[in-house]
Amino acid sequence: MSSFVLVNAREGTEIRVAVVRNDTLVDFFYERVLGYRSRVGDIYKARITSVDRSLDALFVDIGADRHGFLPRAHIRTLQNSKQPLTKLFRTGQTLNVQVVREESAQKGALLTTYVSIPGRYLVLCPFEDGVRISRKIMSERVRQRLIDVVGGMVPEAYGFVIRTAAQEARKADLARDLQFIIRLYNRLKEKSKRVCAPSLLYSESDLAIRVIRDFLPSGNSRIVVDEPATYERMKAFLEEISPRLSKRLQLYRKTTPLFDEFGIESAVELLMGRRIDLPSGGWLTIDITEGMVCVDVNTGSAKGETTEQTALQTNLEAVVELARQLHLRDLGGLIVVDLVDMKQRANRKKVESRLRKALRQQKERFTMLPINSLGVLVMSRQKRREGALVPWSEKCRFCDGLGHSVSPVSHAAAALRHLQRYLAHSQPRGVRLLLHPAVAEALFNHMRKTLASIEKQSAITVEVSLDASLKPGTVQIVPL
C-alpha cells in the first residue's frame, strides 16, 4: 500500500500538508505562515483577571484578544478541594496554563493547568505519575514491552504517555524522544521564572513539524517536501528524534506543483465546496451554521431496482463519504444528517452501522443517535482544532457568511431611501452618491425615473459614482 505525506510550502505564505494513501486523500492540514497562527498547545504564564463564582471558573489574560477561560475541572491544584474559587485565587495572581481549544469569534480560548508536551513517541505530563499507554496499541506483548522500556527511563518526577506511534519504535528512538521533551520542559520552567505575565513559555511547532510528530503514518510512508528550508528544518527534527525516519524524507525539485504531480489538487479544492458527488449519481451537501453542521443527502440520478434499494445505496455511500469529509474538514459539534427516506428498519440499521464503522476508524470521539422517524440522524463529534478550513478561508464580505445576498435591485431601492432620509434633514446644492458598480447599474436600469423625481422635488443634482471597494449594501453620500 503506497502512502505519502506531501508538504507544500513553496509559495512562502502557507503550508499545506496532505496524507495520501493509495492515490486517495485521507488527511489534510493547512496553516497560514503570515498572520493566522493557532495557539492550541501553547503554554503561557498567565494572569488572573477575574474569578467568576457563577461559572465556577477563572478568566485569565494570556495576551490574546479575549481572556482565556479556565474552569475548575481544569485546575490541577483543586483535584480534591470543594472550596469556592474566590477563597483560593485572587485577581492578579499568576499561573501556567495551556491552550486546549482555540478562541472563536464569541469565546476566549479554553485553558487547562494540566500541561503536556508531546513528542513523536511520548507525551510528557509533568504533574502526573507513572507511565500510561495508548489504548490503540492492542497487543499485550507490545504494551508490556513499551511500559517496561519507558518505565526504566522515566525520571521519578515525571509522568509520560506512550503514543500509538511508539509501537514500532526502538529503545534508542524512545530514549531520544524522552530526552528531547524533557529539555523542552526544563527550558519552559526556567523561562517561567524570568518573565512577567502574560508571556508565552512554549510554542507549538509549525505545521510541518507537527504532522511528522502527530500524524505521520506508520510503515514506509514517504515524506515529500517542495521547499528547501522546510525540508532542512524537518530533516533536523527527524534526526534528533529518530534518525532512521529521516531516510524517508525527500526534497521535491520539479516545477510542476507538488499536489498536481500526485493528482490530489482537485480533491483539496473540493474541500471548499458544499456539494460532494457520490459514485452512484447522488450527492450530499454540507452547510456550516453558527450552531451546527447540516448535511443533506439526495439520490440525484441514482437508480436501483426499487425506491427503497436506491435510498439504501445512496445513504450507504453518503455516510462513508460524510465520515471522510468530517475528518478532512475537521467538522465537529452538533451534526444533523437528512438522509433519503427508508421504510425498512433493517436498512436504517445498515446505514447506522456503516457510519459508526467509518467514524471508529478516526481518533475523534463521537456520539450518534438512531435515525428517527423523519429520516434524520443526529450526532456530535469532537474537533481536533478550529475547523481546518478556517485559516484557509474568510467570511464572504458580501453576504457575511449567510450564503445568500440581497439583490442589486433591492440594494438600489435601499440606496434611494437612504438618500431621501438624508435630504429630509439636509439641504445641499447637490450630492455625490457612492455605490457598488452592480447597485449603480440596477439603479440606472430600473430606477432612473425615481432618481430624477427626487432631484426635481429636492431641487438638487445627484451624481452617482462607482466604487468597487464598497460592499453592495453600503451607501456613501457626499455633499457637493
Side-chain angles (χ1 to χ4, degrees):
M1 182 173 67
S2 61
S3 181
F4 298 91
V5 177
L6 309 178
V7 182
N8 165 223
R10 182 177 285 175
E11 291 71 30
T13 58
E14 59 187 13
I15 299 176
R16 301 189 304 166
V17 178
V19 180
V20 181
R21 191 172 298 127
N22 289 340
D23 300 324
T24 301
L25 180 68
V26 297
D27 224 334
F28 177 75
F29 307 90
Y30 178 95
E31 185 171 272
R32 192 179 298 163
V33 176
L34 303 175
Y36 180 94
R37 192 189 77 81
S38 172
R39 295 176 186 263
V40 174
D42 289 355
I43 300 175
Y44 294 86
K45 184 174 183 179
R47 184 181 69 253
I48 298 174
T49 56
S50 66
V51 182
D52 195 307
R53 294 185 63 180
S54 60
L55 296 174
D56 203 21
L58 306 176
F59 285 92
V60 302
D61 181 9
I62 62 172
D65 294 337
R66 286 180 171 79
H67 290 167
F69 180 70
L70 180 62
R72 173 187 281 270
H74 289 193
I75 303 175
R76 177 180 54 84
T77 54
L78 301 184
Q79 282 182 325
N80 301 311
S81 175
K82 295 183 179 179
Q83 285 187 286
L85 294 182
T86 50
K87 291 188 177 182
L88 300 169
F89 297 96
R90 65 184 187 279
T91 301
Q93 189 175 340
T94 63
L95 67 172
N96 292 347
V97 296
Q98 187 166 31
V99 178
V100 175
R101 187 180 64 216
E102 191 73 82
E103 70 175 70
S104 64
Q106 292 80 30
K107 301 177 182 177
L110 177 63
L111 309 173
T112 182
T113 61
Y114 291 94
V115 300
S116 60
I117 299 179
R120 166 67 177 161
Y121 304 114
L122 305 170
V123 178
L124 169 63
C125 304
F127 303 114
E128 299 181 27
D129 297 325
V131 177
R132 292 177 292 144
I133 190 166
S134 167
R135 287 176 294 181
K136 290 191 176 182
I137 300 178
M138 306 299 291
S139 169
E140 282 301 323
R141 183 180 61 81
V142 174
R143 292 175 67 89
Q144 193 57 51
R145 177 183 69 83
L146 290 171
I147 289 174
D148 291 343
V149 169
V150 176
M153 297 187 292
V154 171
E156 290 185 8
Y158 298 107
F160 277 86
V161 176
I162 302 172
R163 307 185 72 176
T164 307
Q167 58 188 328
E168 297 179 2
R170 300 172 183 175
K171 183 176 181 179
D173 293 334
L174 295 169
R176 219 178 265 110
D177 200 39
L178 182 142
Q179 293 303 320
F180 172 71
I181 305 171
I182 290 178
R183 283 199 303 272
L184 289 178
Y185 183 63
N186 287 338
R187 288 178 206 155
L188 180 156
K189 289 195 297 182
E190 289 301 317
K191 186 174 181 180
S192 180
K193 295 174 184 177
R194 299 193 313 266
V195 300
C196 299
S199 292
L200 177 65
L201 301 178
Y202 163 80
S203 177
E204 262 285 40
S205 305
D206 67 17
L207 178 59
I209 301 301
R210 291 201 310 275
V211 166
I212 291 177
R213 187 191 69 197
D214 298 337
F215 302 107
L216 180 64
S218 57
N220 296 315
S221 304
R222 280 200 293 147
I223 312 162
V224 186
V225 190
D226 67 358
E227 199 272 321
T230 304
Y231 168 81
E232 292 297 334
R233 194 167 69 255
M234 295 174 72
K235 184 178 180 181
F237 177 76
L238 283 170
E239 287 178 344
E240 183 164 14
I241 64 163
S242 181
R244 65 193 179 93
L245 287 180
S246 64
K247 297 175 183 177
R248 291 156 56 180
L249 191 64
Q250 173 186 336
L251 178 62
Y252 178 79
R253 302 177 186 275
K254 294 182 181 179
T255 55
T256 303
L258 178 63
F259 284 13
D260 286 359
E261 178 72 16
F262 284 83
I264 61 160
E265 185 65 58
S266 59
V268 171
E269 290 174 353
L270 282 175
L271 295 181
M272 288 295 290
R274 63 186 292 266
R275 171 171 164 161
I276 301 98
D277 292 326
L278 301 173
S280 65
W283 71 82
L284 59 89
T285 57
I286 301 176
D287 292 298
I288 305 169
T289 72
E290 190 71 26
M292 67 183 73
V293 177
C294 300
V295 182
D296 184 43
V297 181
N298 296 278
T299 54
S301 60
K303 292 183 180 180
E305 294 181 3
T306 63
T307 303
E308 182 76 6
Q309 186 61 36
T310 302
L312 174 61
Q313 179 63 30
T314 303
N315 286 335
L316 288 173
E317 291 178 356
V319 294
V320 171
E321 183 60 31
L322 172 62
R324 177 171 173 267
Q325 292 295 326
L326 293 176
H327 180 71
L328 288 170
R329 302 175 189 223
D330 196 28
L331 300 176
L334 184 63
I335 301 166
V336 178
V337 188
D338 184 10
L339 296 160
V340 182
D341 288 340
M342 295 174 291
K343 295 181 180 179
Q344 296 180 20
R345 178 185 172 90
N347 288 339
R348 293 198 293 271
K349 290 293 182 184
K350 286 180 183 177
V351 173
E352 292 168 9
S353 177
R354 181 72 62 88
L355 178 57
R356 193 175 288 108
K357 180 180 178 181
L359 291 171
R360 281 175 176 164
Q361 294 175 5
Q362 304 166 7
K363 64 168 64 175
E364 293 76 25
R365 295 189 299 272
F366 69 93
T367 301
M368 193 177 87
L369 300 179
I371 299 170
N372 64 25
S373 59
L374 300 175
V376 174
L377 182 148
V378 180
M379 60 174 286
S380 65
R381 182 180 182 273
Q382 179 191 23
K383 292 178 70 169
R384 289 176 291 177
R385 55 193 183 275
E386 185 68 27
L389 306 183
V390 168
W392 192 19
S393 59
E394 61 182 22
K395 185 183 289 186
C396 174
R397 68 189 185 94
F398 297 116
C399 73
D400 287 328
L402 292 174
H404 300 275
S405 59
V406 178
S407 70
V409 172
S410 295
H411 277 311
L416 290 182
R417 288 192 292 271
H418 188 83
L419 175 61
Q420 293 173 80
R421 199 175 299 121
Y422 173 83
L423 294 175
H425 298 89
S426 303
Q427 295 179 337
R429 294 181 180 178
V431 295
R432 178 177 291 115
L433 199 61
L434 290 138
L435 301 173
H436 185 275
V439 178
E441 182 181 4
L443 180 66
F444 288 130
N445 289 342
H446 303 283
M447 302 172 199
R448 191 185 293 270
K449 288 183 180 180
T450 307
L451 180 59
S453 175
I454 293 172
E455 288 179 305
K456 184 177 179 179
Q457 183 179 351
S458 303
I460 64 165
T461 301
V462 179
E463 294 181 5
V464 178
S465 297
L466 280 59
D467 188 343
S469 66
L470 293 177
K471 291 174 65 174
T474 302
V475 180
Q476 292 184 2
I477 298 176
V478 181
L480 297 176

